[in-house]
Amino acid sequence: DTSMRAVILAVFAILISAAGVSAGEAEQKEAQAIITGQIEAFKSGQDAAAYSYASPFIQGIFPDVSIFMKMVKQGYPQVYSPKNYDFGRAKEPVAGKVVQEVLITGPDGRPWTALYDMVRQADGTWKINGVQILPGDDSSA
């Protein structure tokens, strides 16, 4: 009886961990779609659309589209106007949160790594809760 219970629990644990892997992949794809949407909105001058991808926390700090856009243009030119970008690794430190790495070539041609902090909203959508910009690997220069 005890050994059967242990086997059932082991199988259950394997099923849960397998489901977690595929859910992580789905979350990563959803997060990447949101990031792509915001970057493309920046590039095409769709300020309100770009702002809509920001989390309620970020919108609370920057309560107006024009204030948000000024902050992005001044503080994040790599994200606002990238020459190109590609997705790197993604981590899920806790449920409902994904940190997505984005490898960016900035408007000046320099490499950067942007770490996007993504949070799941109550309605199931993902929003951008912050971005950290780090110097990228400049070994090719």
Side-chain angles (χ1 to χ4, degrees):
D1 184 44
T2 306
S3 62
M4 182 59 126
R5 188 174 306 154
V7 168
I8 291 171
L9 288 174
V11 169
F12 186 68
I14 291 168
L15 290 174
I16 288 174
S17 66
V21 169
S22 62
E25 291 171 13
E27 289 168 345
Q28 184 176 354
K29 287 185 188 305
E30 291 170 23
Q32 290 176 358
I34 296 299
I35 294 166
T36 298
Q38 187 180 60
I39 291 173
E40 294 303 319
F42 286 144
K43 289 170 63 175
S44 63
Q46 297 176 352
D47 296 356
Y51 184 68
S52 74
Y53 293 107
S55 71
F57 172 75
I58 296 299
Q59 290 184 0
I61 295 172
F62 305 99
D64 178 88
V65 173
S66 62
I67 296 169
F68 174 77
M69 292 306 299
K70 183 177 180 181
M71 176 275 299
V72 172
K73 287 176 187 176
Q74 290 178 350
Y76 298 88
Q78 306 89 339
V79 171
Y80 179 73
S81 184
K83 283 194 174 180
N84 59 32
Y85 62 96
D86 197 10
F87 294 101
R89 298 169 295 207
K91 297 176 188 163
E92 189 177 354
V94 295
K97 182 173 181 159
V98 170
V99 177
Q100 175 65 59
E101 179 183 73
V102 182
L103 309 171
I104 296 175
T105 302
D108 59 0
R110 292 180 53 207
W112 299 91
T113 299
L115 300 176
Y116 277 77
D117 179 25
M118 307 294 298
V119 292
R120 187 179 293 280
Q121 304 303 296
D123 67 359
T125 61
W126 288 92
K127 297 285 184 175
I128 299 168
N129 203 45
V131 180
Q132 180 182 9
I133 302 287
L134 305 169
D137 180 10
D138 208 2
S139 62
S140 62

